[in-house]
Amino acid sequence: MSFENEIQRITVIGDNSIISCMHLFNEYFLPTLLVTDKNGVFLGTLTDGDIRRAFLQGIRISDPIYQAMQKNAVVGYTNESPRSRFARMKSGKIRHLPILDSTGHLAGLEIEQAFLPVQTASTSAVIMCGGLGTRMGCLTKNCPKPMLPVGGKPMLERILENLMRNGISKFYFAVNYLHEIIEKHFGDGSQWGVEIQYLREQQRLGTGGALSLIPEQPKSPIIVMNGDVLTDVNFRHMLSFHNYNRAFATMGIAEFTFQNPYGVVNYSENKLMGFEEKPVNSWFINSGCYIIEPDLLQFVPKDTFIDMPTLIQQAQHKNKDILVYPICETWMDVGRQGDYAEAQSVQLYGEDNE
């Protein structure tokens, strides 16, 4: 596949911030971006996976692109035959090959067909909506938490529409508490042009146990997501990552940052060594977003409460490949009343275009 006529669309400047180019992956579903200097001389390539790996290594999305890019990319040249280019890609297991002219400027890009963005039409999504929402206090006395209005519409509707933007059209809503409110609002999904089926829990089964209610085992990977998580993570790229690495399950992880409100004292035995004023610590936490292989459903017990982390751990103990996928995009767990107030101003990618 060649991009000679659209090279500018997929080219970014190395000094620009990582966040400045992330929308290109979302908007065009491209597997790679080409990085140049201000004069158009090729510097390297940048993939969604490069950004995720850089994020795990402590690089922030506000840092320049060149800190995350692949600097030693294999390239081809305009004076080569297409057969020669593809032979190099095949022998080196290269998924994308920048094409340069004799001056080192970009002229095109060859992409391995197998690595084009995955089609999600056959992928289904399960959204967990059955929790009691007790941490929300009186807000959920007469309303299930996923139906609380956030930014003018129910939170669950925003989750649904974000997944729709990623090409998902088949949904399962796992429901229990005040399920009739959810079912009345969404019906069979036809108003949104999608299919919605309901997994009705007769007893609380947890975020993993509800998977046992899926009427027939899907043939494609399944997106599983908590019904109180707002995120605009690119599920197409997450699914490509999952498929390419042949994962049994992929867990989305998000960075949680905490600033200690006090000055920390550093000492050795009884000797003062120094102060650290209000240090900031960060950890990667479970985001409540997963992609699982259909075979994971065999680990789900019938009519038994089990959460997703426990289910994932059981598969891991059976030597199944469980991978993590860092979420650099907007992510918010709307689990407490303070979170709910903050969520009102959250803008997800693509919503401003609707």
Side-chain angles (χ1 to χ4, degrees), residues 135-136 332-344 346:
R135 293 180 298 171
M136 302 295 282
M332 186 175 188
D333 173 43
V334 190
R336 297 176 174 83
Q337 291 192 35
D339 302 324
Y340 179 62
E342 184 180 349
Q344 299 303 322
V346 169

Side-chain angles (χ1 to χ4, degrees), residues 265-274:
V265 176
N266 297 319
Y267 65 93
S268 177
E269 296 182 351
N270 61 353
K271 184 178 179 180
L272 177 67
M273 304 302 292

Side-chain angles (χ1 to χ4, degrees), residues 251-282:
M251 174 189 291
I253 58 175
E255 187 177 36
F256 173 74
T257 301
F258 173 77
Q259 182 170 22
N260 192 321
Y262 305 103
V264 173
V265 176
N266 297 319
Y267 65 93
S268 177
E269 296 182 351
N270 61 353
K271 184 178 179 180
L272 177 67
M273 304 302 292
F275 295 94
E276 191 173 358
E277 188 62 28
K278 298 180 180 178
V280 176
N281 296 315
S282 63

Side-chain angles (χ1 to χ4, degrees), residues 31-188:
T32 190
L33 296 176
L34 307 177
V35 186
T36 69
D37 65 15
K38 294 179 180 179
N39 297 316
V41 175
F42 178 73
L43 297 178
T45 59
L46 181 74
T47 66
D48 180 80
D50 292 331
I51 293 176
R52 311 293 163 175
R53 285 187 289 272
F55 197 52
L56 287 175
Q57 294 167 6
I59 294 174
R60 303 275 71 88
I61 56 176
S62 58
D63 290 333
I65 291 169
Y66 65 76
Q67 292 191 18
M69 72 179 187
Q70 291 288 333
K71 300 179 176 66
N72 300 314
V74 177
V75 300
Y77 295 93
T78 53
N79 59 2
E80 290 182 292
S81 68
R83 178 176 295 181
S84 175
R85 296 175 191 169
F86 282 110
R88 184 181 301 117
M89 293 174 70
K90 184 176 181 180
S91 63
K93 297 182 179 179
I94 299 167
R95 300 189 297 271
H96 30 70
L97 185 73
I99 309 302
L100 310 184
D101 63 20
S102 60
T103 65
H105 290 74
L106 285 166
L109 177 70
E110 300 288 358
I111 298 178
E112 179 187 11
Q113 189 70 24
F115 194 65
L116 290 174
V118 66
Q119 298 299 312
T120 54
S122 62
T123 301
S124 55
V126 180
I127 305 178
M128 300 300 172
C129 311
L132 299 176
T134 54
R135 293 180 298 171
M136 302 295 282
C138 62
L139 291 173
T140 51
K141 182 178 180 181
N142 299 304
C143 179
K145 182 166 58 171
M147 292 301 293
L148 290 174
V150 176
K153 63 178 66 174
M155 178 163 47
L156 181 56
E157 187 172 333
R158 295 182 69 180
I159 293 171
L160 172 75
E161 291 173 348
N162 181 58
L163 287 164
M164 288 170 56
R165 284 190 289 272
N166 281 268
I168 308 301
S169 60
K170 184 172 183 177
F171 294 85
Y172 297 98
F173 288 177
V175 295
N176 178 255
Y177 177 65
L178 298 177
H179 64 90
E180 63 278 1
I181 295 177
I182 296 174
E183 295 184 29
K184 181 178 179 180
H185 182 85
F186 290 99
D188 62 2

